[in-house]
Amino acid sequence: DALPQYAPAWLKHDRQVLRFNCYFQEPVHENPLENYRIRKCTLLYYLDDATIYVNEPKVENSGIPQGVLIKKHKIPKGQGQYYGFEDFNLGIDISFYGKVFHIYDCDEFTQYFYREQGIPLNPSEGQPDDHYTQKRTMMQTKTIPEDAGEIKEYRNAALKGGKANKELKQYLDNDRKVLNFDILWDDVSYDGGEKPYKLNFFLADNTIEVKEVRLQNSGRDNFPLLLKRQKLAKKPIMTHYPGMSLKKEEYYQPQDLVCGGTLNVYGRECLIINCDDFTRAWYQENFGIVQNAVEIKRPKEMKPYQKTPEYTGYGTEQDSMGSVHSLNPKAPVKDIRKAFQWDKYILRFEAKLISPHKDDELRKFIISFYCSDDSVQVYEKADRNSGMVGGKFLERKVHRHPYQNRTFQMSDFTLGAVIVVNSYKFRLLQADEFTYKFMADHPEQYPMSDVSKVLEKIRSYGSRYNSMDDFAVALLKELDSNGDGVISYNELFDGLKRFGITLEPQQEFTVMRNFDKNKDYKISLEEFYNTLSNA
């Protein structure tokens, strides 16, 4: 009920404007050429708020201040009323503040609006002109007689002047149209060979230009042009006085240039092998000639191999490779995604040094692998009164794998593995609790920490038994050598070896860690049997 029955004008006629073309007469005093002047204007009526705007378009060099005549507002017409769209029509005079405007035309939307409102419009009037405007138009109009060209040619001939330019039409029709060809010159001289060039044929004046194609590491000095732009004669006449020669030379024309044909450039027989798309379309359109490229068998390009110098060990390898790839080396780009993904993930292992010296066997080391940038750091633990100096043994740095052409990865660090860093060999003995959990949570990096795969490998040795139960019973008898109902770490290691099952130290520790519930390095015999038999 609150909605109005009819939409308000500001909503119904939003952005709708009626446009009328009008003019007013301005008197001109003391001028013999005119006594009045017509000033053309544009009248805009805004339907949303019934405001009127009158503007006079600026005319260049008119000398009259022009622009906005009446700003946008409601214009009163007397007796407290304002002008509406009903007051406008074609061919009528309307007065705004004492100035009379004559409306003579309107746009299509205005005609459509009045037709929808049922208000008939008068026929449109022509655009008026004053006497001064008509005179200026006649003065600026230049009329060229029909026989002006013939008259000019006759006068030049009568005055013994130059003749008409007969090639002007060719220039106007073919200006900036250039036929482009790929040509090849087989130079048979001592330091010659096949030399490629670009041939440009200018249709505007039938001139030819031959440019040299620059090849890298060709051993030749670069020269821009083989032939500067000129008309090329098929058989040039060599004389000491070219301007006085009475013999006429025959020049190359577009129909003489066909792919597969030859071109003589002052004694150089050049083979035309290809052309661009515009040239191919131009020949098809004008001569009906299909330009097909000529296949040239060329030897396979041999790229020189430059061996990358070996890493010297000073600084990081990324910094050294920066000098190999560029004369102005830049700082190596870090793998930001990897740094954010593996930030604060540090794998720590206890290791011993493999050395022929007996004193080195008692030394203990902590090797830390940083997953964020694959760097390795080594610390030495020194017992009291051992005579060894503890602390940092090797600075944190990215090291290369000694046997593979890559850097160390997290999957290289497993229990029992031998890590060679700066010619020092370390055997990984055990790890901290965080490292064990990390390896168990990432079986894609550490498959030997996946207990299911380790048990599957143990079960694979039971194929020679009738059932998996018989295999489990035989295996447990071998493992539990003392018959106490539990399996210690040493019993597991020695029993699997006697039974013929070969496991890596990482796999043995995975089995022990998975079945050792109270962390005393002993496995329940019953639980281990149930896991093996339920295959």
Side-chain angles (χ1 to χ4, degrees), residues 306-323:
Q306 296 180 353
K307 184 180 179 181
T308 303
E310 296 183 358
Y311 174 53
T312 59
Y314 294 98
T316 62
E317 187 177 2
Q318 290 80 1
D319 289 333
S320 301
M321 290 302 296
S323 301

Side-chain angles (χ1 to χ4, degrees), residues 22-24 38-42 55-57 66 69 104 127-130 133:
C22 60
Y23 67 90
F24 67 92
I38 291 183
R39 306 271 296 272
K40 299 182 180 64
C41 303
T42 301
N55 177 62
E56 182 181 6
Q66 295 172 323
L69 290 181
Y104 64 90
Q127 184 176 0
D129 284 327
D130 51 21
T133 304

Side-chain angles (χ1 to χ4, degrees), residues 442-476:
H442 297 81
E444 67 279 358
Q445 298 289 341
Y446 296 96
M448 290 188 294
S449 295
D450 190 354
V451 65
S452 60
K453 294 184 179 180
V454 177
L455 293 177
E456 183 179 353
K457 182 177 181 181
I458 296 175
R459 294 191 190 101
S460 64
Y461 288 89
S463 59
R464 62 179 181 269
Y465 290 88
N466 295 329
S467 64
M468 191 57 62
D469 292 339
D470 298 340
F471 169 71
V473 171
L475 177 61
L476 294 180

Side-chain angles (χ1 to χ4, degrees), residues 346-510:
I346 305 174
L347 308 182
R348 294 183 175 88
F349 298 87
E350 183 179 348
K352 72 173 183 178
L353 183 63
I354 301 176
S355 174
H357 304 286
K358 293 183 179 181
D359 296 338
D360 292 339
E361 296 181 358
L362 301 177
R363 301 172 68 179
K364 298 179 182 180
F365 298 88
I366 300 297
I367 298 180
S368 302
F369 180 82
Y370 295 83
C371 301
S372 59
D373 57 354
D374 296 340
S375 58
V376 180
Q377 190 178 41
V378 181
Y379 275 86
E380 182 176 2
K381 295 195 311 179
D383 296 334
R384 191 173 184 179
N385 298 326
S386 63
M388 298 294 179
V389 180
K392 188 182 296 183
F393 185 78
L394 287 177
E395 190 69 35
R396 178 181 175 183
K397 183 182 176 183
V398 177
H399 295 272
R400 295 192 64 83
H401 197 284
Y403 310 115
Q404 301 180 16
N405 189 19
R406 60 175 177 83
T407 58
F408 278 112
Q409 300 175 356
M410 64 176 67
S411 58
D412 298 328
F413 290 80
T414 57
L415 297 184
V418 177
I419 303 299
V420 181
V421 180
N422 285 6
S423 301
Y424 292 99
K425 294 183 179 181
F426 299 93
R427 185 180 296 277
L428 306 183
L429 302 179
Q430 57 182 354
D432 59 359
E433 187 65 22
F434 172 79
T435 304
Y436 289 141
K437 291 182 179 180
F438 180 85
M439 291 189 293
D441 295 339
H442 297 81
E444 67 279 358
Q445 298 289 341
Y446 296 96
M448 290 188 294
S449 295
D450 190 354
V451 65
S452 60
K453 294 184 179 180
V454 177
L455 293 177
E456 183 179 353
K457 182 177 181 181
I458 296 175
R459 294 191 190 101
S460 64
Y461 288 89
S463 59
R464 62 179 181 269
Y465 290 88
N466 295 329
S467 64
M468 191 57 62
D469 292 339
D470 298 340
F471 169 71
V473 171
L475 177 61
L476 294 180
K477 285 182 180 181
E478 187 68 31
L479 296 178
D480 189 12
S481 58
N482 54 7
D484 58 353
V486 292
I487 306 173
S488 64
Y489 185 78
N490 293 331
E491 288 178 339
L492 177 65
F493 178 75
D494 296 337
L496 291 175
K497 189 174 182 180
R498 291 193 305 269
F499 203 77
I501 299 177
T502 304
L503 294 181
E504 298 293 336
Q506 178 78 19
Q507 296 173 328
E508 295 174 354
F509 186 81
T510 301

Side-chain angles (χ1 to χ4, degrees), residues 56-74:
E56 182 181 6
K58 294 183 179 181
V59 179
E60 187 178 3
N61 296 327
S62 64
I64 303 174
Q66 295 172 323
V68 180
L69 290 181
I70 300 177
K71 295 183 178 180
K72 179 183 177 184
H73 69 286
K74 290 185 177 181

Side-chain angles (χ1 to χ4, degrees), residues 36-147:
Y36 70 93
R37 183 172 300 154
I38 291 183
R39 306 271 296 272
K40 299 182 180 64
C41 303
T42 301
L43 188 151
L44 303 178
Y45 181 84
Y46 295 84
L47 294 172
D48 54 353
D49 56 358
T51 55
I52 298 174
Y53 174 83
V54 181
N55 177 62
E56 182 181 6
K58 294 183 179 181
V59 179
E60 187 178 3
N61 296 327
S62 64
I64 303 174
Q66 295 172 323
V68 180
L69 290 181
I70 300 177
K71 295 183 178 180
K72 179 183 177 184
H73 69 286
K74 290 185 177 181
I75 299 179
K77 64 178 181 179
Q79 299 180 359
Q81 298 181 356
Y82 297 92
Y83 280 102
F85 65 87
E86 303 89 353
D87 301 321
F88 297 95
N89 207 324
L90 303 183
I92 65 172
D93 296 333
I94 191 166
S95 176
F96 295 152
Y97 301 111
K99 188 179 291 292
V100 179
F101 296 87
H102 183 77
I103 303 174
Y104 64 90
D105 198 4
C106 64
D107 60 358
E108 295 182 1
F109 173 75
T110 305
Q111 298 176 6
Y112 168 78
F113 177 80
Y114 277 95
R115 188 165 55 251
E116 291 294 325
Q117 297 295 327
I119 301 177
L121 286 177
N122 298 330
S124 175
E125 300 178 356
Q127 184 176 0
D129 284 327
D130 51 21
H131 179 70
Y132 179 78
T133 304
Q134 295 176 357
K135 186 175 181 180
R136 292 292 301 175
T137 303
M138 293 179 61
M139 291 174 61
Q140 295 176 359
T141 302
K142 296 182 179 180
T143 304
I144 300 176
E146 297 180 358
D147 56 348

